[in-house]
Amino acid sequence: MDVKSYMAELGQQARAASRAMAAADTGAKNRALLATAKALASARDSLLAANAIDMENGRSNQLDAALLDRLELTPERIDAMIEGLQQVATLADPVGEMTDVSFRPSGIQVGKMRVPLGVIGIIYESRPNVTVEAASLCIKSGNATILRGGSEAIASNQAIAACIKQGLAAAGLPETAVQVITTTDRAAVGELITMTEFVDVVVPRGGKGLIERISRDAKVTVIKHLDGICHVYIDEQADLDKAYNIAMNSKTHRYGTCNTMETLLVHSAVAEEILPLLAQGYQQKEVELRGCEQTLAILPQALAASEEDWRTEYLAPILAIKIVADLDEAIAHINRYSSQHTDSIVTENYSKGRRFMREVDSSSVMINASTRFADGFEYGLGAEIGISTDKIHARGPVGLEGLTSQKYVVFGDGHIRQ
Amino acid sequence: MDVKSYMAELGQQARAASRAMAAADTGAKNRALLATAKALASARDSLLAANAIDMENGRSNQLDAALLDRLELTPERIDAMIEGLQQVATLADPVGEMTDVSFRPSGIQVGKMRVPLGVIGIIYESRPNVTVEAASLCIKSGNATILRGGSEAIASNQAIAACIKQGLAAAGLPETAVQVITTTDRAAVGELITMTEFVDVVVPRGGKGLIERISRDAKVTVIKHLDGICHVYIDEQADLDKAYNIAMNSKTHRYGTCNTMETLLVHSAVAEEILPLLAQGYQQKEVELRGCEQTLAILPQALAASEEDWRTEYLAPILAIKIVADLDEAIAHINRYSSQHTDSIVTENYSKGRRFMREVDSSSVMINASTRFADGFEYGLGAEIGISTDKIHARGPVGLEGLTSQKYVVFGDGHIRQ
């Protein structure tokens, strides 16, 4: 079968399954999740065997060490997948929630009901545990899903998919509610992101290149996460102990995450006091500093920052530092260079905090807190399929609710329009 | 200046103005609306003079009577624009609303804050009052907007735009918060819907052709409304008086509106009783009936419906009728042929009503109410910029809230991630 027909068949099956998933009750969805967990536990040996094939192919294809590490399944990683499924089963079901129900002067009662999106395509790379994570969130939110993992993980993903199918069947739900694309032909992705009749939303999880390519070519709506160029602004009226801790934590807690600070903004009135302390802290962590001219005057050991630095997500122990004259300059810099992911102000001043919260146009805006908190688990979403830097639909960490929509419901008793 | 540079300039100005509009307080936005109302009242003569130019050009370009009627400004229509502005000023400001604020185990407090989308492009045809309507909703929701009306209404729209600029200036808001495109070059639309750096959302208001063209070519997110193929399903356990009234009202209250019923589904057990009564009612209103085979057996005067009829938005006194065996067939027919606009069930049976509400995948789902209620005013939104048949972001009638998004806000006190 050619790729186009193959994908259309997957799409038709997913669309049909999405109807059943939307109507499935919470108990059935939870039973599917727990039965999948059980199936994974029973299939440990075959999962490890399938993964060994991928690892061997990966090594002979000379994948780099980082990629091989992400690709590897271990007994501990299988345990984590099982725990993840159990946790999603404990989350509240967003589907069917009715809100804002009120009577109107005409006598009808109007409200909103939360409903699944339908069919969600998810495109990701290497880590096989994403297969379980993504499938579990789609199942719980009443969606059908078509998963496209990396070709390097295909044996692992097929083995995991078999367990998910067992789980769905055990709960009386259609096995086609979760389908893993079995061809490594890249044309399959092209079909997935353009067959609007079968797919409602696509979530690409991966590097910037992947996401840009998919956003450019997609006809289906994309919930996307591009860069995480996050800022901390230390205000003139900051508590400098808090500022120190937040600036250190935001940069050095982890370097490779999207909610890591990449640029530090410091009010000129406190720069001479706080920057040398921070520079010492960063030096201990071997963080390279790149500063504006004023910064270099205070920290001669820093490198000179270029325009390019303000636009760069380092994902590495490198930090750009800029001294600003006031809150206006800080907000203007952030609204210009931030990727609208997460930005934080450190201040004790009520009015400045209030202005920053309102005027910074990012998906997460913080006061006196580390940017590292921008995360579905820390926000209490229970799970996260990604962090959206879009403005439309889901913004910020996307959990179960981000995989749903709302429809209007109207209750009458024979009401007609006058 | 070429169209590309002209549109980029408009876009830059709109982006800059959107920052000021997002930060503007409710009082200033209301003052701008009321000052615009005053400016329109003072400019009656020049508005009518500008409109006379459009009308004359329209007549010499041989626009049809319906189009000319929509194009015409009368003193009453100017009054209606003024009242509309005053009404939007009384609506609650959605911007800044904080919801779901709660403490997390880490000690941070997390919530959501409602924020404007940014810059909204609106593309519409003939009726000049849309210029005021669209501008007022964008102003109140803290957005900047770029308006592209029909070339046939350009003089009227420019005259109205001058009043809006006066209103914005009187309230100390940037005049560039509302910009009307002054060129009739169609390339301007192409720029508007693709300049993602300056425009966040596009709302096309007009015929199906316009909306399909824009959806196909847009790079910017489109809040779109395609067909309104709405259904009423009369269940076996319907109260037949309610069914009669709802079926009559849904079809005959107005023919040209998107929430008008186009297909009537009737349970076979009640078809012989209700259909002849309805046929009489429809005959009095001169509604042409097109039925399935079973319908024709009961109503020999009806025409035979083809497959095409189930897919057609007549926007005319024509109704397709299909007899179904049960609720399952009704839901399946709707989920297959409905445009996901509005569908209603008439039943006294609790379980069937509940299933219909849950399983019909449309932006408005009703029980025992006329489809004609699907409307921003009837739903209490206070105003409406359109009715979205999309699943993402705004669904159903789109009012002020549909022109906003939410960002996460995090309140800490020096909190860092462990």
Side-chain angles (χ1 to χ4, degrees), chain A residues 271-342:
Chain A
E272 288 192 37
E273 188 176 351
I274 188 79
L275 278 182
L277 294 171
L278 278 170
Q280 240 179 341
Y282 288 131
Q283 198 185 1
Q284 281 170 18
K285 301 272 189 179
E286 298 183 359
V287 175
E288 177 186 314
L289 303 181
R290 301 185 187 178
C292 66
E293 259 183 54
Q294 283 178 273
T295 302
L296 298 183
I298 298 170
L299 304 177
Q301 72 271 40
L303 303 172
S306 70
E307 170 74 14
E308 199 47 36
D309 283 296
W310 314 129
R311 306 184 182 281
T312 303
E313 182 181 24
Y314 300 117
L315 297 170
I318 304 171
L319 176 68
I321 303 177
K322 184 181 168 75
I323 293 176
V324 295
D326 54 21
L327 178 63
D328 287 311
E329 192 184 339
I331 292 175
H333 180 96
I334 292 172
N335 281 339
R336 178 159 178 203
Y337 295 106
S338 160
S339 63
Q340 307 195 307
H341 189 296
T342 300

Side-chain angles (χ1 to χ4, degrees), chain B residues 59-319:
Chain B
R59 276 184 290 260
S60 58
N61 289 332
Q62 301 182 316
L63 293 191
D64 69 37
L67 218 57
L68 283 173
D69 174 62
R70 295 171 68 209
L71 180 56
E72 189 171 15
L73 276 184
T74 62
E76 294 71 35
R77 286 181 176 179
I78 295 175
D79 287 343
M81 292 195 290
I82 291 169
E83 274 162 41
L85 283 160
Q86 290 162 341
Q87 213 196 346
V88 173
T90 67
L91 295 178
D93 187 344
V95 174
E97 181 201 31
M98 279 201 265
T99 49
D100 302 326
V101 183
S102 66
F103 280 103
R104 299 290 310 146
S106 63
I108 59 170
Q109 205 177 5
V110 179
K112 289 177 176 179
M113 185 193 281
R114 197 161 280 288
V115 293
L117 289 175
V119 177
I120 299 175
I122 301 177
I123 300 160
Y124 53 102
E125 291 165 345
S126 60
R127 286 190 303 134
N129 62 319
V130 175
T131 308
V132 168
E133 242 179 75
S136 66
L137 292 175
C138 290
I139 290 171
K140 186 67 182 248
S141 55
N143 291 289
T145 183
I146 300 175
L147 301 171
R148 161 68 180 219
S151 55
E152 67 287 353
I154 191 147
S156 312
N157 287 337
Q158 301 291 346
I160 292 169
C163 296
I164 298 171
K165 285 195 187 304
Q166 275 181 55
L168 287 163
L173 295 174
E175 294 185 17
T176 46
V178 176
Q179 296 179 99
V180 172
I181 295 175
T182 55
T183 170
T184 56
D185 190 333
R186 294 186 82 176
V189 173
E191 290 299 315
L192 182 64
I193 65 177
T194 52
M195 50 187 201
T196 50
E197 66 276 43
F198 301 130
V199 182
D200 296 294
V201 176
V202 165
V203 184
R205 293 179 50 151
K208 196 177 165 182
L210 171 81
I211 296 171
E212 282 181 343
R213 209 164 54 242
I214 284 171
S215 304
R216 193 187 56 228
D217 298 338
K219 291 287 170 200
V220 174
T221 302
V222 181
I223 295 183
K224 61 178 168 293
H225 163 197
L226 284 164
D227 300 1
I229 303 177
C230 303
H231 297 73
V232 171
Y233 166 56
I234 301 177
D235 181 49
E236 180 180 18
Q237 282 144 303
D239 173 316
L240 293 188
D241 284 339
K242 294 178 192 171
Y244 179 87
N245 290 331
I246 289 169
M248 288 302 296
N249 187 259
S250 295
K251 182 70 227 179
T252 69
H253 186 258
R254 273 182 70 186
Y255 296 113
T257 50
C258 58
N259 56 15
T260 296
M261 167 177 66
E262 305 292 9
T263 300
L264 174 67
L265 303 174
V266 184
H267 192 286
S268 56
V270 294
E272 288 192 38
E273 188 176 351
I274 187 81
L275 277 182
L277 294 173
L278 279 170
Q280 240 179 338
Y282 287 131
Q283 196 184 4
Q284 280 169 20
K285 301 271 188 181
E286 298 183 359
V287 175
E288 177 187 316
L289 304 181
R290 301 186 187 177
C292 67
E293 258 183 57
Q294 282 177 274
T295 303
L296 298 182
I298 299 171
L299 304 176
Q301 72 272 40
L303 303 172
S306 70
E307 170 74 14
E308 198 48 34
D309 283 296
W310 314 129
R311 306 184 183 280
T312 302
E313 182 181 24
Y314 300 117
L315 295 170
I318 304 171
L319 176 68

Side-chain angles (χ1 to χ4, degrees), chain A residues 172-191:
Chain A
L173 295 174
E175 295 184 18
T176 46
V178 176
Q179 297 179 98
V180 172
I181 296 176
T182 54
T183 169
T184 56
D185 190 331
R186 294 186 82 176
V189 173
E191 290 299 315

Side-chain angles (χ1 to χ4, degrees), chain A residues 105-108 414-418, chain B residues 245 249 253-254 370 372-373 378:
Chain A
S106 62
I108 60 171
H415 287 83
I416 59 170
R417 182 115 174 239
Q418 298 305 325
Chain B
N245 290 331
N249 187 259
H253 186 258
R254 273 182 70 186
S370 165
R372 285 281 296 139
F373 281 113
E378 293 294 336

Side-chain angles (χ1 to χ4, degrees), chain A residues 242 360 372 391 417, chain B residues 117 242 372 407 413 417:
Chain A
K242 294 179 191 171
V360 169
R372 285 282 297 138
K391 273 192 174 176
R417 182 115 174 239
Chain B
L117 289 175
K242 294 178 192 171
R372 285 281 296 139
K407 67 184 178 190
D413 193 27
R417 183 114 174 239

